[in-house]
Amino acid sequence: MFSSSSKGYGSQEYPKHPFTLSSNELFDHLKTNDQTGLDRLRVQEAWKIYGPNRLEGEGGVQWYTVLLKQISNAMILVLNAANVPLNQSIHQVLVLAMALSYGVTDYIEGGVITAVIVLNVVIGFYQEYQAEKKMDSLRSLSAPSAAVIREGHVETIPSGEVVPGDLVQIKTGDTIPADLRLIEAMNLECDEKILTGEAIPVAKDVETDFSNANEIEVGVGDRLNMAYSSSTVTKGRGRGVVVFTGMYTEIGTIAKSMQGTERKANRSLSRKKGGNLQPAKGIVLRIWDGIGHFLGLTVGTPLQRKLSKLAYILFGCALLLAIIVFGVNKFHVTNEVAIYAISTGKSTTSQVFPVTDKESGIAIIPESLIAVLTITMVVGMTQMRKRRVVIRQLSALEALGGVTNICSDKTGTLTQGQMITRKAWLPGVGMYTVNDAEDPADPTKGSVSLGPSPQITKKEGDQKGGQLDDESSDSSDTLEDNAHIEISPMNHDNSQIPQVTPELELFLQSIALCNIAAVRYDEQKNEWQAIGDPTEIALQVFAHRFSLGKKALEKEHGWTQLAEYPFDSSIKRMSVIYRQGKAVETKIFTKGAVERVIDLCTNIGTGEFQRALTPAVKEEVLAHMDLLAKQGIRVMAIAQRQYMSSFGAHQPPPRETIEEDLTLLGLIGLYDPPRLETRSAVRECATAGIKVHMLTGDHPATAAAIAREVGIIPSNTSSLPAATAASLVKTASEFDAMSDSEIDALPTLPLVIARCAPSTKTRMIAALHRRRAFCGMTGDGVNDAPSLQSADVGIAMGLTGSDVAKGASDIVLTDDNFASIVAAIEEGRRMFDNIQKFVLHLLSSNIGEVVLLIAGLGFQDEAGLSVFPLSPLSILWINMLTSSFPAFGLGREQAANDIMRRPPHDNKRGVFSPQIIVDMVVYGVIMGACTLLTFVIIVYGPGNGELGVDCNRGYHHSCDVVFRARAAVFAELTWLILVSAWEFKSLRRSLFALDPGTSEKYRLPFFKDIYNNRFLFYAVVIGAVSVFPAVYIPGLNTEVFKHKGIGWEWALSAGAVIVFLIGVEVWKACKRRFGWFDVGRVGGAGDEGGLGGMMGKEDGKEEGVGGKQGFFSFTKSFSWAKSMGSSEQEGGSEKV
C-alpha cells in the first residue's frame, strides 16, 4: 500500500504508486470519470478529506505576528518596516507624552494616554489582521489556475482548489497545479528542473508500462506518465488525473528549500562576480537596502513611497515646531510645555500618519497613513473582484486611473469568444453556408446549404489600393484587395442539399483531426457539451454535422495520431500527422491563417478539381478570403498532403519539412460576434480620454470589420486626411517593417494591427511610450509575457490565459471581457480621487491645528508662560474622532458622476497635484484663523484679557475665561474638521449641489448627497455630538481636557462653522469661475461629440480622426448572425 499523509488531513493512499497503475485502476480508485471528471458532491467530499492544495507555510499571515508588530510599534520610538514612517511619529508622540505625564505624577493624563496606546494596539491588531486575511484571499485569486473538467464542463479554478480525482487539462505555458497521472499527451514536455535539477525538459509518454516497477527503481525524472506540481509545460498539451495535492506532492517534500528570496543585482559579496571591490560594494548596497526598507522609502507602491517621504518631511517640521515652543517659553520646559510641544508636533504628523492605518481599518486611534492607504486599497481590490478583475500588484490600482491607451486583443475580449462556422468554400465544389445556428456547441441546430461559388473576375485597369474604402460605408460590400471583382448572384432556391462528397469528406477529416477540441452529447443532461478553444470547437461542430467528428474518425475509421505541431502565434498555423489503419503512408493536415498556409501550398482542390496553385489562382483564393473577411468573418485555410517518411514515436520530423508542398482544400469562415457591451465600453473609453487599439491575429479585413462595428475606427474615412486614414489599419508586417522614426512620424498610431505577433505588441508599447502615453496591454499566451511586462499595466486573461502570462501581468480579467478593463479603470480613478480627498482632509486639518497652536504661543500669563488654546489631550481627542472615521469614510466615496468624462490623471505628479497643495493651505488657514479668532474674542472680549495663572496645569477661579475659551475652540475645531469631510466630497462642486443628478430631482439635494455615504454621515454626526459630553461631564472636562462647560460661547463655535463653510464655498466658486486647476473634460466641457485630442496624437499634436471612438456612425452592422448566411447573396451582381 502506497500512501502519503499530511498533518490535519487524511492520507492519500493507493494500492501502488499511481505511476504504476493503469488509468482504469486510478479512475476506479478515485471514483472519477475519464470524460466528465468529478461531480460536485465528490469534490466537496475530497475537499473535506484532503484539504486545500497548498504547501505548509502558504497559509498567510499569523495572528501573533501582527500582534507583535503592533506592540513593537507602540513600544519603540522607531518605525516598524511594515508600517513605514507614519507609525513612528504617532507612537513616538504617545510614548513620550505618557512617560512625561507619569514622570511629573500627572496620572490622569498618563492614564488616558496609556489607554489610548492600548486601544491603538488592540484596534490596530484587529484591523490589520482582518486586512491581511482579506489580502491573502485576494492574492489566491491571482495564483496559478487550473483547467479542470467537472461534470463534463471545463472550469478554470485557482490551483488551491484542485482535489485528487480532478481531471486537469494542461498546455504550453501552464504551471501544473498538482501531481498528475497523465492519460493523454501530445508532444508534451515538462520542465522539471525544480525537482530533478535537469534543465532539459522531459518528454512525456502515457503508453510506457510501469506496472512491474516501483518508486525506488524508477526515479522522479523517469516516470514519463507523471507530471509534477510546480513544473511548467514547455511544449504540447496533455490531460491527467490529480493523484497528489499540497504536501503530498513531490514538491511538498522539498518545500522548505523553495522559500528563499532572490537578492537584487550587485548585492553579492563574491569577488568572482564583481571584482575585488565587490564585497565592499555589496555590503554598502545591502545596508542601503536595509535602511530604505526600514524607513519605507524603497518598499511598497509608488504612492506609498511618496507618502513615506512626505511623512519624514513633516516629522522634521514637527521637531522644528517643538523647538519653537521651547524657545517661546525661554526653554523653561515644564511637563505641560513639553507635552504641548510634542502635541504641536503631533498635530503636524499625527494627521498624516494616523489617518492612514486606522482610518482605513475603522480605528479610533490614527496610526499610519500608509496603513490606511493599504487597507483602502484592499477594499478597492475587493470591489475590483466583484467587477471580475483580480489585482496582482497594488501599484496597478494607482496606475489604472492614469491609463491613456488600451491595446486589446479581439477574440474573446472585444468579441464573445463563441465562434460558429458560417461559411466553407471548397474550390470547384461551392460555398457551404450554415444558417440559423446560435448554439456554438450543438451540431444539430441550424441547417447547411450548398450554393455555387461566387464568380470572381478581375477588371482590367483597376488600381491597387491598400487603405480603407472611402466610397462606401457598407463594409460588407467592399474589399481592400488588389483588384475589384464581380460576384454573380446566388439564389437560395437553387441551393443544393449538401452530400458528403470525397472533396467534402477530406475537408472534414482535416478540420476534425487537426483539432484538439472535443464535442460530446451528455445524455443525462440532454445537452451538447464542448471542451476546447472556441475556434476549434466551431470546426469540430461543423464536422459533427456530417457525423465525421474526431472521435468517430479515430474509433470508427481507424485514424491514429502520430505527431502534433501545435498552433504557434508566430507562424499562425497548426499541423498534425495521422495514419489510417495499417496503411504505410501518413497524412499531414494543416490549418491556419490563409496567408501563412497558402504560401506552403503548390496545389488547390482534390480529385477532378485539383489544379496547380498559380499566381492567378492564388489571387482568386485571396479574393474569396477578402469577401468573407469583409463581413467580419474569421477565415482560415485548410490543407493536407501525403507523407511517406517514417519517424520515431518521440522524434517527429522538423516542422519545416512536413509543412511544405501542401494541397489547399478550401477556406472556412468563423463568426465571433462582438460582445453586446463592447461598443458602449469603447464609447466610455472615448469620453474618458482613453484610446482603444485592437491588436489581433486575424486578417486585416476581418479585424477592420469588427473594429468598425464596435466603434474603434470609423466606417467612412473619406473626410480624413489621406495619411491619417492610411495609418488607422496596419498589418504586423507593415508595422514591423517601419523604423522607429517612421512610426513616430505617423499622424496617429494604428488603431488596428492585424496578423499581430507578440513582438509587434512590444514595439507598439515602445511607440506609445515615446509619445508619452500610459498604456495597458492585454495578453494570454506565453509569448505575450514580454509585452505584459513592458506595458504600464499588464492585463492577463483569466479564462484563456497561460500561467506565464498571468505571472507577468498586473491585473487578471476573470471573464476575459474588455468591459471589465473599463470597469477597472473607473474603479482605479475612484480610488485615486478618494485618496486625494482624505489626504486633503488630513493635511488641511494639520495646517489648521498648527496655525492655532503656534499662534497660541503668543498668549502669555503673568508668569510669562504661554497659555495653550487647547490642551494636549484635547488635541489627541480631536484627532481620534476627526481623523480616523471621516477619512475612512472619504475613502469609501462613490465615483463622481463625471469620473469617466475626465482625461486620465498624471501618474508622474500623483496624488499631490497643485490643486491639492493649494487647497490644503487655503482650507487650513481658514480653519486655523476661525479657531484663533474665537479664542481671542472670548479672552479679550468679555474676558478682558484675563489669562489666569498656571492655567496649563489645572483649574482655579482665575482660569475661568481660559477654560471657557478652550471649550469653545475645542468644539469649533472638532466641528470644522468634521464638516470639512463633507465639503471634500467634491473638490470643486458646492456642498449644496454635489451631484447634478440629485440637484435636478430634489429641492434640497444637500441632505440626499451627504446621506448617500452613510459611513461618512454617521462619522460626522456622532463626532459632532461627542463634543457635548467632553465639554460638560464633570472631572472629564476640567481635569482631563482642561476646559469647562460653556453657554453663549456656543454661538461663536456654531458661527465659525458657517464662516468656514462660506470661505470654502467662495474658494470653490472662484476655482469654477476662473477655471483654476480645471482639468476639463475630454473634447471640452460638455462636448460629447468633439474629439478634443482623443483621437489625436498622444502628446496632443496628432491630426484628429473626426470623431470619438464608440461614437462613429454605422449604416450596417454585422452582429446579427442570422443575416450572415445571405449577406453576399442579395442584390444580384454588384461591384465590390
Side-chain angles (χ1 to χ4, degrees), residues 30 137 431 440 549 648 992:
L30 294 170
S137 67
M431 182 77 75
F992 305 99

Side-chain angles (χ1 to χ4, degrees), residues 569-570 572 596 696 732 736 754-762 784:
S569 60
S570 62
K572 301 189 184 304
R596 299 302 181 93
T696 177
D736 291 337
R755 298 305 191 204
C756 187
S759 58
T760 311
K761 293 185 176 182
T762 306
D784 288 330

Side-chain angles (χ1 to χ4, degrees), residues 505-776:
E505 182 177 9
L506 184 56
F507 184 85
L508 295 174
Q509 288 174 356
S510 300
I511 65 173
L513 296 177
C514 188
N515 196 312
I516 62 174
V519 178
R520 60 181 294 273
Y521 182 73
D522 191 325
E523 296 182 353
Q524 295 181 346
K525 296 184 177 180
N526 194 30
E527 65 177 16
W528 284 88
Q529 298 177 343
I531 298 174
D533 179 78
T535 300
E536 301 204 320
I537 290 174
L539 300 177
Q540 199 68 255
V541 169
F542 185 71
H544 271 72
R545 293 182 182 277
F546 300 90
S547 300
L548 288 175
K550 183 176 183 178
K551 190 173 183 179
L553 290 172
E554 291 181 337
K555 290 189 176 182
E556 300 174 12
H557 297 260
W559 288 95
T560 303
Q561 186 170 354
L562 305 178
E564 176 180 301
Y565 301 85
F567 178 83
D568 188 330
S569 60
S570 62
I571 60 175
K572 301 189 184 304
R573 60 179 178 266
M574 170 188 178
S575 297
V576 294
I577 303 178
Y578 266 82
R579 174 183 287 120
Q580 187 175 24
K582 298 182 179 180
V584 177
E585 70 278 1
T586 59
K587 278 193 176 181
I588 296 169
F589 301 108
T590 300
K591 73 172 188 290
V594 179
E595 301 92 329
R596 299 302 181 93
V597 173
I598 198 172
D599 289 338
L600 306 175
C601 297
T602 56
N603 296 289
I604 181 173
T606 58
E608 61 178 304
F609 302 110
Q610 187 172 19
R611 51 180 170 160
L613 188 62
T614 63
V617 175
K618 184 176 180 180
E619 194 170 310
E620 179 185 344
V621 173
L622 294 176
H624 279 94
M625 174 192 67
D626 283 337
L627 174 64
L628 298 176
K630 276 300 187 177
Q631 302 168 36
I633 292 179
R634 181 181 183 184
V635 186
M636 302 180 68
I638 309 299
Q640 67 91 31
R641 65 168 288 201
Q642 300 285 344
Y643 189 73
M644 302 299 294
S645 301
S646 60
F647 54 89
H650 298 290
Q651 295 180 337
R655 186 165 196 159
E656 58 271 14
T657 64
I658 65 107
E659 290 181 337
E660 61 181 6
D661 296 328
L662 300 175
T663 297
L664 183 67
L665 300 180
L667 306 178
I668 191 163
L670 315 175
Y671 184 65
D672 181 16
R675 294 178 182 267
L676 297 178
E677 63 273 21
T678 296
R679 180 162 181 144
S680 61
V682 173
R683 181 185 296 115
E684 192 170 5
C685 284
T687 59
I690 302 169
K691 185 185 293 186
V692 181
H693 305 260
M694 177 195 292
L695 278 61
T696 177
D698 276 342
H699 183 271
T702 305
I706 297 297
R708 291 189 189 97
E709 191 168 348
V710 299
I712 291 178
I713 61 176
S715 60
N716 191 331
T717 59
S718 58
S719 61
L720 299 179
T724 302
S727 65
L728 293 184
V729 180
K730 295 281 187 184
T731 63
S733 58
E734 293 171 341
F735 188 78
D736 291 337
M738 302 173 69
S739 65
D740 288 348
S741 59
E742 290 174 329
I743 293 175
D744 294 340
L746 291 174
T748 181
L749 287 177
L751 297 181
V752 176
I753 298 183
R755 298 305 191 204
C756 187
S759 58
T760 311
K761 293 185 176 182
T762 306
R763 287 206 72 195
M764 183 66 169
I765 293 172
L768 287 167
H769 285 165
R770 290 196 299 273
R771 301 191 180 209
R772 300 193 293 277
F774 199 83
C775 61

Side-chain angles (χ1 to χ4, degrees), residues 839-861:
V839 166
L840 174 61
H841 175 257
L842 301 177
L843 296 183
S844 60
S845 60
N846 288 345
I847 293 176
E849 291 180 357
V850 169
V851 169
L852 172 66
L853 297 179
I854 293 300
L857 294 175
F859 304 120
Q860 296 185 343
D861 60 13

Side-chain angles (χ1 to χ4, degrees), residues 861-918:
D861 60 13
E862 297 176 0
L865 296 177
S866 296
V867 177
F868 309 146
L870 277 178
S871 69
L873 287 182
S874 294
I875 299 171
L876 181 62
W877 178 271
I878 290 174
N879 286 333
M880 287 171 58
L881 290 179
T882 59
S883 297
S884 300
F885 292 112
F888 183 50
L890 287 172
R892 298 174 58 140
E893 272 290 291
Q894 296 180 357
N897 63 85
D898 65 342
I899 196 167
M900 293 300 283
R901 296 198 297 274
R902 303 191 308 238
H905 64 252
D906 186 352
N907 279 283
K908 294 182 179 179
R909 181 169 291 167
V911 171
F912 297 100
S913 64
Q915 178 173 211
I916 293 296
I917 295 173
V918 174

